[in-house]
Amino acid sequence: MKFFIQSFLLHKEQTDCIIVGVFKSCKLTISANNLDKHSNGYISELVNKGDIDGEIGRTLLLYNVPNITSKRILLVGCGKKNDFTFLAITKIMKNSMKILNKISIKHIIFSLTELDTYNNIYWFIRQTISAIKKQVFKINIFLKKDIYLNSISFNIIDKKLFLLAEIALKHSLAIDLGVTSAKKLSNLPPNICNPLYLSLQATKLSKKYKDNISVTSIDINQMKNLGMNAYLAVGNGSKNKPYMSIIKYTGKNTINTKVIVLIGKGLTFDSGGISIKPSKNMHEMKYDMCGAASVYGTLVAAAELNLPLNIIGVLAGCENMPGGNSFRPGDVLNTMSGKTVEVLNTDAEGRLVLCDVLSYVERFSPNIVIDIATLTGACVTALGHYVTGLFSNNEDLVKNLEKASQQTNDKIWRLPLFKEYEQDIYSNVADFSNVGKNGAGAITAACFLSQFTKKYNWAHLDIAGTAWESGRNKGSTGRPVELLCQFLLNISNCTKY
Ligand code: BES
Ligand code: MN
Ligand code: ZN
C-alpha cells in the first residue's frame, strides 16, 4: 500500500473515494463543507435528515454526488470537535477500511487531516498510518483476505505543513516495517522458530543493512567460555541449543557515541521445564520470544530510519524443555557475574537467561540498557493486557520512556523496585533464589534482574500481558516496537514535536 502527501481540489479529483467527516454537532468538517457547497447542499441535507450523526465510527457511503468527480464519498463520524483522540482515529480507520475494502476501490483521498490531533500534523499522520497498518495486518493475516486498496493520499490543505507531513510518513513506514517484522517473527510456530532460526534471522539483517548492521552469534561453546551458566542451564533440556545474537547497529553522524543496548528474552518455547506448565494454553508459550522479536523489529526500524545512534540488540534465544539433561529445582547455578542462584522453579527461566545477558553487555560500556521480556504471569495479573510493566533504576530513563509511551499510545506503567523486595529472593544456599515469595511476582522478578544491572542505567519492560493476543484472532501485537522506536527517535533528536 502506498501513501502520498498531496493537496487537492477535492470536487474535481478523479478517485474511487474521498473520506470526509461530520462532527457530533452535525457540523461538517472543512473538506466536507467544501464538497457540500459544490454539490449544492447534498451532503448537509443527508446529515440534517439524520442519515448519519457525528458519533465516532459511524459511516455513510455516498455514490454519484452531484458535481463531484470522485466516484464515492465516505462520510465518517468524528465525535466532538476538538476532541479527536487516538482511539477515535483507530475506530474511524477500522470502520472505514471494512467498507472500503472492495475490489473496485483502489485509491482514496483521505481528507480528515484538518482535524489533526493536538493541532499537529506530524502526529496526526503517524497515528492514522499506524491505525491503518494494524487493520491491514489483521485483514491479511487473520481474515486471510487481500487488501484491494493500494494507495491512500492525505489531503493537506495548508502547504506549509507538507514537509512535516512527509517526515511523519517516512517515520511511520519505517516503524511499521519494524512492527510488522516483529509480529511475523513471533507468530511463527516453535518447530520452525527455534533459537538457531532466530539467530539466522538476525544474521540476515547484516546482509540487508550491510552499511549499518553487523551480527555475531554466540553458541553454547562460547557461552561456556564466558561462564554464562544460568543461561546454559535453561537450554540444557532441549535438543535445540541456545544461541545469543548480537546485532550491532552503527549510525552515521552520531553525536553521542555512547551505546544503547536492547535485550530481548527469546524463549522460542517455554514448557516450564521440569516444573512443567499446565497443558492448557501451553501453546501460547511460543510467544515467549516476543521480547527478542521486538528487539529485532526495533533494529529493522532503526536501520530504516537511519538513526544517528549506536545500538546493540541482543536476542537471547533459548528453549526450556523437560528432559534427561534438564536443570532441576534445587540446582545451584554459578552465573556469569559470579553470583550464585538457587533454582526453586525451572519455569522462572527468563530471569536466569537474562541475568547472564545483563552481565555480558557490560563489555559494551552502555549508557542505557533496556530489556524486554514476557517475564511473569504476575505482570498480567497486575496490569492486564493494555499496559506493559516498567521497572528502572534511573529517573531520566523512566521519563523518556514514559514520554515515548504517551506519544505512541504504547502504554507502560512503572512498578516499584524498593529494597524491601530483596528479602523475598533470599536463599540460604546461594546469593539469590530464582523465585520470590510473598506475592508481587512481577516485582520480585525485576528485583532479581536488578541485582545484575548496577553498572548502567537500566529499564526492564515486562510485556507478558501486552506482547500477544489470545483466542480466535490470536497473534503477536508487535509491542513495544513503536514505544522503543519513538524513544530512540526522541533521543536521537530527529523529532522535535
Ligand atoms: N514466560 C513465562 C511468563 C508468562 C506466563 C508470560 C504466562 C505470559 C503468560 C515465564 O517464564 C514464567 O513461566 N514465569 C513464571 C514465574 C514463576 C514460576 C515464579 C510465572 O509467571 O508463573
Ligand atoms: Mn517460564
Ligand atoms: Zn518464560
Side-chain angles (χ1 to χ4, degrees), residues 435-486:
V435 287
K437 41 183 176 302
N438 301 325
I443 298 174
T444 52
C447 175
F448 179 94
L449 295 180
S450 75
Q451 306 305 315
F452 301 86
T453 63
K454 311 247 185 217
K455 300 228 168 99
Y456 42 69
N457 301 318
W458 161 76
H460 157 59
L461 294 170
D462 193 333
I463 55 167
T466 53
W468 75 90
E469 275 163 33
S470 310
R472 194 181 143 85
N473 285 345
K474 63 181 180 289
S476 161
T477 58
R479 286 178 67 181
V481 175
E482 271 190 90
L483 167 81
L484 293 171
C485 290
Q486 193 55 44

Side-chain angles (χ1 to χ4, degrees), residues 96-161:
S96 305
M97 293 291 289
K98 270 186 202 152
I99 290 177
L100 296 174
N101 198 27
K102 297 199 170 78
I103 296 173
S104 53
I105 300 183
K106 295 263 183 265
H107 173 247
I108 62 172
I109 295 173
F110 184 80
S111 197
L112 290 178
T113 20
E114 67 247 34
L115 301 176
D116 54 17
T117 16
Y118 330 123
N119 279 329
N120 188 324
I121 193 68
Y122 175 85
W123 283 107
F124 184 84
I125 303 257
R126 280 278 307 270
Q127 292 169 1
T128 306
I129 295 183
S130 169
I132 294 171
K133 289 283 190 177
K134 268 178 204 141
Q135 200 54 27
V136 168
F137 193 89
K138 267 199 179 137
I139 295 174
N140 279 338
I141 302 292
F142 299 137
L143 307 176
K144 299 191 172 56
K145 279 192 195 148
D146 291 328
I147 298 285
Y148 303 113
L149 198 59
N150 62 24
S151 71
I152 299 181
S153 297
F154 288 98
N155 182 30
I156 306 286
I157 297 169
D158 183 352
K159 286 216 168 114
K160 285 200 291 295
L161 299 176

